[in-house]
Amino acid sequence: MTLAGAVRARILDGAHRWGRLDVRPVGRTMWATRTLVVHPPGTDTRERAVLRAAHAWPLVGVVLAGVVTVSWTSAPSVGAVVGTAVYVLGFLVLRRCTRRLRPLVRTLTVTTFHGSGRPEVHGDARLMAVALDALSSAEEALRAGRIDPVAFEATWSEVWDALPARRGRLTARTARPS
């Protein structure tokens, strides 16, 4: 793969095809957090891009709304209304575009408290390590050409199945008859 192709793939696919790993290092509160986010297997490039946009929108939207607001120097109140509308509209559009995928995304969070003399781990750190290792190894093997996309997706699917499903409201489609 050429450098331009690698950059294009990184922009379109993100750091990982399977999802992302969010790491918050130890801060003043003495807590460190790692969250593994795994998209449903088979999520294509467009769907990954929309999920990443929805994840980034709170920050990107504020910047864009700020630029829109500031650019209306002749009518600041109109600029504020338009900027707010852009921000809210971005949430609505991205929510609508991801409504099918969001409930299928699986996450695993492990937090560690470092303030009591020895680390206190909360969450399934073993599952996090095994899942992250499997996904990273399979992704590296795919990039190196040692496995094909089908084998990669099979590993991705096994990890996704091992992660806990999202708990939430029952909908008409997921509710069981009594």
Side-chain angles (χ1 to χ4, degrees):
M1 180 182 285
T2 66
L3 178 60
V7 169
R8 180 181 171 276
R10 173 67 186 236
I11 291 170
L12 292 176
D13 288 333
H16 307 286
R17 291 181 181 196
W18 45 262
R20 68 180 188 278
L21 176 66
D22 294 335
V23 177
R24 291 190 182 134
V26 177
R28 291 187 320 237
T29 62
M30 304 302 287
W31 287 92
T33 304
R34 292 177 299 149
T35 301
L36 178 65
V37 178
V38 180
H39 302 153
T43 304
D44 64 25
T45 300
R46 186 195 67 77
E47 292 169 330
R48 286 190 298 270
V50 173
L51 284 168
R52 276 195 337 281
H55 177 72
W57 183 252
L59 179 60
V60 172
V62 163
V63 171
L64 183 59
V67 168
V68 168
T69 301
V70 170
S71 68
W72 289 63
T73 55
S74 60
S77 58
V78 173
V81 169
V82 172
T84 302
V86 164
Y87 189 65
V88 171
L89 187 62
F91 274 112
L92 295 175
V93 168
L94 289 169
R95 185 164 178 81
R96 172 108 170 120
C97 290
T98 60
R99 76 177 183 275
R100 183 188 66 80
L101 281 174
R102 271 182 292 110
L104 300 174
V105 172
R106 298 208 175 160
T107 61
L108 178 65
T109 300
V110 175
T111 57
T112 307
F113 180 66
H114 294 276
S116 62
R118 64 172 222 216
E120 294 175 25
V121 178
H122 302 270
D124 194 342
R126 184 201 58 76
L127 179 57
M128 170 82 74
V130 168
L132 193 54
D133 183 53
L135 289 168
S136 298
S137 297
E139 192 170 44
E140 184 179 311
L142 178 67
R143 286 186 183 136
R146 293 190 307 269
I147 63 172
D148 63 355
V150 174
F152 170 71
E153 196 160 322
T155 302
W156 178 3
S157 181
E158 288 173 13
V159 170
W160 185 82
D161 284 338
L163 296 178
R166 179 177 288 187
R167 288 181 228 130
R169 298 179 298 167
L170 289 177
T171 63
R173 288 178 290 187
T174 61
R176 294 182 187 170
S178 28

